[in-house]
Amino acid sequence: MSKVLMKGNEAFAEAAIRAGCKCYFGYPITPQNEIPEYMSHELPKAGGAFLQAESELAAVNMAFGAAASGGRVFISTSSPGLALMQEGLGFICSAECPVVVLNVSRGGPGVGGIQPGQADYIQVTRGGYNGDAKIPVLAPAGIQECVDLIYEAFDIADKYRNPVLIFADGMMGQMMEPVELPPARGITPPEKINETKPWAITGTAQHPGRNVVYSLRLEPDVLEKHVEHLFEKYDAAAKELVRYKSMNLDEAEIVFVAFGTMSRLCAEAIELLDAQGIKAGLIRPISLWPYPDAAFDEIGPKCKVVISTELNMGQMLTDVKAAVAGRWPVGLINRTGGIVPSSLEIVERAKKLLEGVK
Amino acid sequence: MKSVFEITKGMTPVDTSYCPGCSHGIAHRLIMEVLDERGELGNTIGVVPIGCSINAHHFMNVDMCESTHGRAPAIASGIRRVHPDKVVFTYQGDGDLASIGAGEILHAAHRGEKFTTFFINNAIYGMTGGQMAPTTLIGQRATTCVDGRTVEQAGLPLKMCEILAAVPCAVYVERVMLNNPANVRKAKKAVQTALDIQKAGLGFTFVEFLSACPTNWGLAPADALKWVETEMASYYPIGNFRKPEGY
């Protein structure tokens, strides 16, 4: 396979098409507009259906309808749009349907700005939906990884009958990188849907019995059992979906914890610090839920400080502190509002934090 | 012996959860009977709303899903993209469709979505206990307007058929009422026509049923049917608002 140079958003859309996506629903919002644009002309060529929704509320519910009736579904949005989708995502968790959601995130709160941000960390890992539900969240650090994760996310969503969320920041959507695209898997025709999804509502002529996809459970004991069933799935996902990358943890005095675009800047900062004789390492969570607590057990004896490095006001700190469990001091290096710090800024602030704990 | 009447296979053999005198049972039966008569029960996917009729999937003998409040038309639009050859419908009440879901119904009509919406208008929120709906009549009492709805407080009731008839790709828009056997027969005809037009792929089809809610109106069932005819139908005229040529 040869690599092609693609803009992130277009590569993400192409990855979904190649994964066998039948339906895409989207509403224009910056910085992910190239995704609905690309889908509008490319998805029909692959045999899929593109529909521009009247709102993110409609988009997530269109996704529910398509998923409940057995189609592979992809939706994308950016931060405020994801807030609008939260009700639908909780409903989809309850009704147990597979949907792949891409958040190309920007600065907030509110309308915020359109530059890259990671201020949706709490929104994606804790959800804005009501009730006891979980959505696996995968955070790529580059276009290739995002393409690969989107491609795989369809299988994860099918396996757990639950939404899976890919959390890419606006930087990744807007930049270009060489990427190797995965092979096209083709779309399941409607008459074959029940072979792999016996629960899907396709019309009773197509499967034994009658299928109903629902959320309402008025009897408390029935609802409690259902939530317990969901959590059996989430417990399995919490074991099976933990993903992270690490570097230099054995020797590091400073351990950065960063995901997405920030992890790439930290990798640069580690080289710059090394040139100054300071050993630094990195934990890069790829799964934000489940959070890779185990990565922190690899931190070596020379560690003086663990630094959460984020494009927000420190939303990941809670998870970092829980994983650190009091073993090392925890610091924060952050910018927000759509500002991405330089690696030099990270180096200077990391050195100050290191001095502060010595 | 020759059978002269059979209960439709379109309804499951369980008692409905609706109150005595409620029109949901009649509307359910009409829709399911037409689907049964056309041999489409196995080929149909329905979406139920939030409201009393969220329970419809216990009674309608077809594949169905529930909906978030008001979003059934968006959900049906998604189903339609996966299953272009199936019969798809939404079944929605007036709180669901005319209030929280006003945007979704308008845009499904706007896109000319090839499914049918059955709209049960009983001028009140039923399941939550009788609050004012956008369709509640002026002077009508509800738990959020105990002295009766006023124009100053809440404007004039929304006429969904008239609104949707102004949307170019809503090709069939009809209002019927379920107050007596003659009108129930007319309502069945409207269901048939809507499903014919859906099958022909001509665009969005919409049937509004003026319906009784004796419980939340505080009326006996027979009086409630009278109220549908005298009060509701005088503000919401029954009849066809839009149909394609040849139907």
Short mmCIF file of all heavy atoms in Angstrom, two decimals, chain A residues 205-242:
data_model
loop_
_atom_site.label_atom_id
_atom_site.label_comp_id
_atom_site.label_asym_id
_atom_site.label_seq_id
_atom_site.Cartn_x
_atom_site.Cartn_y
_atom_site.Cartn_z
N ALA A 205 -40.47 -9.96 8.50
CA ALA A 205 -40.30 -10.98 7.46
C ALA A 205 -38.84 -11.42 7.36
O ALA A 205 -38.54 -12.47 6.80
CB ALA A 205 -40.78 -10.43 6.12
N GLN A 206 -37.96 -10.62 7.95
CA GLN A 206 -36.54 -10.86 7.75
C GLN A 206 -35.85 -11.59 8.90
O GLN A 206 -34.67 -11.89 8.84
CB GLN A 206 -35.87 -9.49 7.54
CG GLN A 206 -34.71 -9.54 6.58
CD GLN A 206 -34.19 -8.15 6.27
OE1 GLN A 206 -34.85 -7.37 5.60
NE2 GLN A 206 -32.99 -7.84 6.73
N HIS A 207 -36.59 -11.83 9.98
CA HIS A 207 -35.97 -12.47 11.14
C HIS A 207 -37.06 -13.16 11.96
O HIS A 207 -38.24 -12.81 11.83
CB HIS A 207 -35.23 -11.44 12.00
CG HIS A 207 -36.12 -10.29 12.43
ND1 HIS A 207 -37.02 -10.39 13.46
CD2 HIS A 207 -36.27 -9.03 11.93
CE1 HIS A 207 -37.66 -9.25 13.59
NE2 HIS A 207 -37.24 -8.41 12.67
N PRO A 208 -36.68 -14.10 12.82
CA PRO A 208 -37.69 -14.74 13.66
C PRO A 208 -38.24 -13.76 14.70
O PRO A 208 -37.51 -12.88 15.16
CB PRO A 208 -36.92 -15.87 14.37
CG PRO A 208 -35.51 -15.81 13.89
CD PRO A 208 -35.32 -14.59 13.06
N GLY A 209 -39.49 -13.90 15.06
CA GLY A 209 -40.08 -13.07 16.11
C GLY A 209 -40.23 -11.62 15.68
O GLY A 209 -40.25 -11.31 14.50
N ARG A 210 -40.34 -10.76 16.69
CA ARG A 210 -40.53 -9.34 16.42
C ARG A 210 -39.45 -8.58 17.17
O ARG A 210 -39.22 -8.84 18.35
CB ARG A 210 -41.92 -8.93 16.92
CG ARG A 210 -42.36 -7.55 16.51
CD ARG A 210 -43.85 -7.40 16.73
NE ARG A 210 -44.21 -7.28 18.13
CZ ARG A 210 -44.27 -6.11 18.78
NH1 ARG A 210 -44.02 -4.98 18.15
NH2 ARG A 210 -44.61 -6.07 20.06
N ASN A 211 -38.78 -7.66 16.50
CA ASN A 211 -37.71 -6.90 17.16
C ASN A 211 -38.22 -5.52 17.57
O ASN A 211 -38.88 -4.83 16.80
CB ASN A 211 -36.52 -6.73 16.22
CG ASN A 211 -35.72 -8.03 16.08
OD1 ASN A 211 -35.87 -8.95 16.89
ND2 ASN A 211 -34.87 -8.11 15.07
N VAL A 212 -37.89 -5.14 18.81
CA VAL A 212 -38.20 -3.81 19.31
C VAL A 212 -36.94 -3.25 19.97
O VAL A 212 -36.34 -3.91 20.80
CB VAL A 212 -39.36 -3.85 20.34
CG1 VAL A 212 -39.64 -2.45 20.87
CG2 VAL A 212 -40.63 -4.43 19.70
N VAL A 213 -36.52 -2.08 19.55
CA VAL A 213 -35.36 -1.42 20.14
C VAL A 213 -35.88 -0.30 21.03
O VAL A 213 -36.57 0.60 20.54
CB VAL A 213 -34.41 -0.87 19.05
CG1 VAL A 213 -33.29 -0.07 19.67
CG2 VAL A 213 -33.86 -2.02 18.21
N TYR A 214 -35.60 -0.37 22.33
CA TYR A 214 -36.27 0.54 23.24
C TYR A 214 -35.40 0.92 24.43
O TYR A 214 -34.37 0.29 24.69
CB TYR A 214 -37.58 -0.07 23.74
CG TYR A 214 -37.42 -1.33 24.59
CD1 TYR A 214 -37.55 -1.28 25.96
CD2 TYR A 214 -37.12 -2.54 23.99
CE1 TYR A 214 -37.40 -2.42 26.74
CE2 TYR A 214 -36.96 -3.69 24.76
CZ TYR A 214 -37.10 -3.62 26.13
OH TYR A 214 -36.93 -4.75 26.89
N SER A 215 -35.84 1.95 25.12
CA SER A 215 -35.12 2.43 26.30
C SER A 215 -35.99 2.44 27.56
O SER A 215 -35.50 2.21 28.66
CB SER A 215 -34.60 3.86 26.03
OG SER A 215 -34.09 4.45 27.20
N LEU A 216 -37.28 2.71 27.38
CA LEU A 216 -38.17 2.88 28.55
C LEU A 216 -38.34 1.58 29.33
O LEU A 216 -38.70 0.54 28.76
CB LEU A 216 -39.55 3.36 28.09
CG LEU A 216 -40.56 3.65 29.21
CD1 LEU A 216 -40.21 4.94 29.94
CD2 LEU A 216 -41.98 3.74 28.66
N ARG A 217 -38.05 1.65 30.61
CA ARG A 217 -38.30 0.52 31.51
C ARG A 217 -38.89 1.09 32.79
O ARG A 217 -38.16 1.60 33.64
CB ARG A 217 -36.98 -0.22 31.79
CG ARG A 217 -36.48 -1.01 30.58
CD ARG A 217 -35.06 -1.48 30.74
NE ARG A 217 -34.66 -2.29 29.60
CZ ARG A 217 -34.19 -1.80 28.46
NH1 ARG A 217 -34.06 -0.49 28.30
NH2 ARG A 217 -33.87 -2.60 27.45
N LEU A 218 -40.20 1.02 32.90
CA LEU A 218 -40.88 1.69 34.00
C LEU A 218 -40.75 0.97 35.33
O LEU A 218 -40.83 1.58 36.38
CB LEU A 218 -42.36 1.90 33.66
CG LEU A 218 -42.63 2.96 32.58
CD1 LEU A 218 -44.10 2.99 32.19
CD2 LEU A 218 -42.18 4.34 33.03
N GLU A 219 -40.52 -0.36 35.28
CA GLU A 219 -40.39 -1.10 36.53
C GLU A 219 -38.95 -0.97 37.03
O GLU A 219 -38.01 -1.35 36.31
CB GLU A 219 -40.72 -2.58 36.34
CG GLU A 219 -42.13 -2.86 35.84
CD GLU A 219 -42.26 -2.74 34.32
OE1 GLU A 219 -41.21 -2.57 33.65
OE2 GLU A 219 -43.39 -2.80 33.82
N PRO A 220 -38.76 -0.45 38.25
CA PRO A 220 -37.41 -0.22 38.76
C PRO A 220 -36.51 -1.46 38.73
O PRO A 220 -35.33 -1.35 38.41
CB PRO A 220 -37.64 0.24 40.20
CG PRO A 220 -39.00 0.84 40.19
CD PRO A 220 -39.80 0.03 39.19
N ASP A 221 -37.07 -2.63 39.04
CA ASP A 221 -36.20 -3.82 39.07
C ASP A 221 -35.76 -4.21 37.67
O ASP A 221 -34.64 -4.68 37.46
CB ASP A 221 -36.90 -4.99 39.78
CG ASP A 221 -38.24 -5.33 39.17
OD1 ASP A 221 -38.89 -4.41 38.64
OD2 ASP A 221 -38.64 -6.51 39.21
N VAL A 222 -36.63 -3.95 36.70
CA VAL A 222 -36.27 -4.25 35.30
C VAL A 222 -35.19 -3.27 34.83
O VAL A 222 -34.20 -3.66 34.19
CB VAL A 222 -37.52 -4.16 34.39
CG1 VAL A 222 -37.12 -4.33 32.92
CG2 VAL A 222 -38.53 -5.22 34.79
N LEU A 223 -35.36 -2.00 35.19
CA LEU A 223 -34.37 -0.99 34.79
C LEU A 223 -33.02 -1.27 35.47
O LEU A 223 -31.96 -1.18 34.84
CB LEU A 223 -34.87 0.42 35.14
CG LEU A 223 -33.92 1.57 34.81
CD1 LEU A 223 -33.51 1.56 33.33
CD2 LEU A 223 -34.57 2.92 35.15
N GLU A 224 -33.07 -1.63 36.75
CA GLU A 224 -31.82 -1.92 37.45
C GLU A 224 -31.08 -3.08 36.78
O GLU A 224 -29.87 -3.02 36.55
CB GLU A 224 -32.08 -2.24 38.92
CG GLU A 224 -30.78 -2.42 39.70
CD GLU A 224 -31.02 -2.78 41.16
OE1 GLU A 224 -31.73 -3.76 41.42
OE2 GLU A 224 -30.48 -2.08 42.03
N LYS A 225 -31.83 -4.10 36.40
CA LYS A 225 -31.22 -5.26 35.72
C LYS A 225 -30.59 -4.84 34.39
O LYS A 225 -29.53 -5.30 34.01
CB LYS A 225 -32.26 -6.36 35.48
CG LYS A 225 -32.44 -7.25 36.67
CD LYS A 225 -32.96 -8.64 36.27
CE LYS A 225 -33.04 -9.52 37.50
NZ LYS A 225 -34.06 -9.03 38.47
N HIS A 226 -31.30 -3.96 33.69
CA HIS A 226 -30.79 -3.49 32.40
C HIS A 226 -29.48 -2.72 32.59
O HIS A 226 -28.51 -2.93 31.85
CB HIS A 226 -31.83 -2.61 31.70
CG HIS A 226 -31.35 -2.05 30.40
ND1 HIS A 226 -30.98 -2.86 29.33
CD2 HIS A 226 -31.16 -0.78 29.97
CE1 HIS A 226 -30.60 -2.10 28.31
NE2 HIS A 226 -30.69 -0.83 28.68
N VAL A 227 -29.46 -1.84 33.59
CA VAL A 227 -28.24 -1.06 33.83
C VAL A 227 -27.10 -2.00 34.24
O VAL A 227 -25.94 -1.83 33.82
CB VAL A 227 -28.48 0.03 34.89
CG1 VAL A 227 -27.18 0.72 35.26
CG2 VAL A 227 -29.49 1.06 34.37
N GLU A 228 -27.42 -3.00 35.05
CA GLU A 228 -26.39 -3.98 35.43
C GLU A 228 -25.86 -4.72 34.20
O GLU A 228 -24.66 -4.96 34.08
CB GLU A 228 -26.95 -4.97 36.45
CG GLU A 228 -27.07 -4.36 37.84
CD GLU A 228 -27.89 -5.19 38.82
OE1 GLU A 228 -28.39 -6.28 38.43
OE2 GLU A 228 -28.04 -4.73 39.96
N HIS A 229 -26.76 -5.02 33.28
CA HIS A 229 -26.35 -5.65 32.02
C HIS A 229 -25.41 -4.71 31.24
O HIS A 229 -24.37 -5.15 30.73
CB HIS A 229 -27.58 -6.01 31.19
CG HIS A 229 -27.32 -6.13 29.72
ND1 HIS A 229 -26.57 -7.16 29.19
CD2 HIS A 229 -27.66 -5.34 28.68
CE1 HIS A 229 -26.48 -7.00 27.87
NE2 HIS A 229 -27.13 -5.90 27.55
N LEU A 230 -25.77 -3.42 31.18
CA LEU A 230 -24.90 -2.46 30.48
C LEU A 230 -23.52 -2.45 31.13
O LEU A 230 -22.49 -2.42 30.45
CB LEU A 230 -25.51 -1.06 30.50
CG LEU A 230 -26.82 -0.83 29.76
CD1 LEU A 230 -27.26 0.64 29.90
CD2 LEU A 230 -26.70 -1.18 28.28
N PHE A 231 -23.51 -2.49 32.46
CA PHE A 231 -22.23 -2.40 33.15
C PHE A 231 -21.40 -3.68 33.05
O PHE A 231 -20.19 -3.63 33.19
CB PHE A 231 -22.42 -1.93 34.60
CG PHE A 231 -22.38 -0.42 34.66
CD1 PHE A 231 -23.41 0.34 34.11
CD2 PHE A 231 -21.28 0.23 35.17
CE1 PHE A 231 -23.34 1.73 34.10
CE2 PHE A 231 -21.20 1.63 35.17
CZ PHE A 231 -22.24 2.37 34.64
N GLU A 232 -22.04 -4.80 32.77
CA GLU A 232 -21.24 -5.99 32.44
C GLU A 232 -20.46 -5.74 31.16
O GLU A 232 -19.29 -6.09 31.03
CB GLU A 232 -22.14 -7.22 32.28
CG GLU A 232 -22.56 -7.82 33.60
CD GLU A 232 -23.68 -8.85 33.43
OE1 GLU A 232 -23.85 -9.40 32.32
OE2 GLU A 232 -24.41 -9.07 34.43
N LYS A 233 -21.13 -5.08 30.20
CA LYS A 233 -20.43 -4.73 28.95
C LYS A 233 -19.32 -3.71 29.23
O LYS A 233 -18.22 -3.82 28.69
CB LYS A 233 -21.42 -4.12 27.94
CG LYS A 233 -22.51 -5.05 27.47
CD LYS A 233 -23.17 -4.52 26.19
CE LYS A 233 -23.75 -3.13 26.37
NZ LYS A 233 -24.47 -2.66 25.16
N TYR A 234 -19.63 -2.71 30.05
CA TYR A 234 -18.63 -1.66 30.31
C TYR A 234 -17.44 -2.23 31.08
O TYR A 234 -16.30 -1.82 30.86
CB TYR A 234 -19.26 -0.50 31.08
CG TYR A 234 -20.40 0.17 30.33
CD1 TYR A 234 -21.49 0.71 31.01
CD2 TYR A 234 -20.40 0.26 28.94
CE1 TYR A 234 -22.54 1.31 30.33
CE2 TYR A 234 -21.45 0.86 28.25
CZ TYR A 234 -22.53 1.39 28.95
OH TYR A 234 -23.56 1.98 28.29
N ASP A 235 -17.70 -3.17 31.98
CA ASP A 235 -16.59 -3.79 32.71
C ASP A 235 -15.68 -4.55 31.75
O ASP A 235 -14.45 -4.50 31.88
CB ASP A 235 -17.13 -4.76 33.79
CG ASP A 235 -17.78 -4.01 34.95
OD1 ASP A 235 -17.58 -2.77 35.04
OD2 ASP A 235 -18.50 -4.63 35.75
N ALA A 236 -16.31 -5.25 30.79
CA ALA A 236 -15.50 -5.97 29.79
C ALA A 236 -14.71 -4.97 28.94
O ALA A 236 -13.51 -5.16 28.69
CB ALA A 236 -16.40 -6.83 28.91
N ALA A 237 -15.39 -3.89 28.54
CA ALA A 237 -14.72 -2.87 27.71
C ALA A 237 -13.57 -2.23 28.49
O ALA A 237 -12.51 -1.94 27.92
CB ALA A 237 -15.73 -1.81 27.28
N ALA A 238 -13.77 -2.04 29.79
CA ALA A 238 -12.73 -1.39 30.61
C ALA A 238 -11.47 -2.25 30.65
O ALA A 238 -10.36 -1.73 30.82
CB ALA A 238 -13.25 -1.15 32.03
N LYS A 239 -11.62 -3.55 30.49
CA LYS A 239 -10.44 -4.43 30.46
C LYS A 239 -9.87 -4.50 29.05
O LYS A 239 -8.66 -4.50 28.86
CB LYS A 239 -10.83 -5.84 30.90
CG LYS A 239 -11.13 -5.93 32.39
CD LYS A 239 -11.25 -7.39 32.84
CE LYS A 239 -11.71 -7.48 34.29
NZ LYS A 239 -13.19 -7.37 34.41
N GLU A 240 -10.75 -4.58 28.06
CA GLU A 240 -10.29 -4.89 26.71
C GLU A 240 -9.83 -3.68 25.90
O GLU A 240 -9.11 -3.82 24.92
CB GLU A 240 -11.40 -5.60 25.94
CG GLU A 240 -11.68 -7.00 26.48
CD GLU A 240 -13.01 -7.58 26.00
OE1 GLU A 240 -13.59 -7.04 25.04
OE2 GLU A 240 -13.46 -8.55 26.60
N LEU A 241 -10.27 -2.49 26.27
CA LEU A 241 -10.02 -1.33 25.41
C LEU A 241 -8.95 -0.38 25.93
O LEU A 241 -8.74 0.69 25.37
CB LEU A 241 -11.33 -0.55 25.19
CG LEU A 241 -12.43 -1.31 24.43
CD1 LEU A 241 -13.68 -0.44 24.29
CD2 LEU A 241 -11.95 -1.76 23.06
N VAL A 242 -8.26 -0.77 27.01
CA VAL A 242 -7.20 0.11 27.54
C VAL A 242 -6.07 0.21 26.52
O VAL A 242 -5.53 -0.80 26.08
CB VAL A 242 -6.65 -0.43 28.88
CG1 VAL A 242 -5.43 0.38 29.30
CG2 VAL A 242 -7.73 -0.40 29.94
#
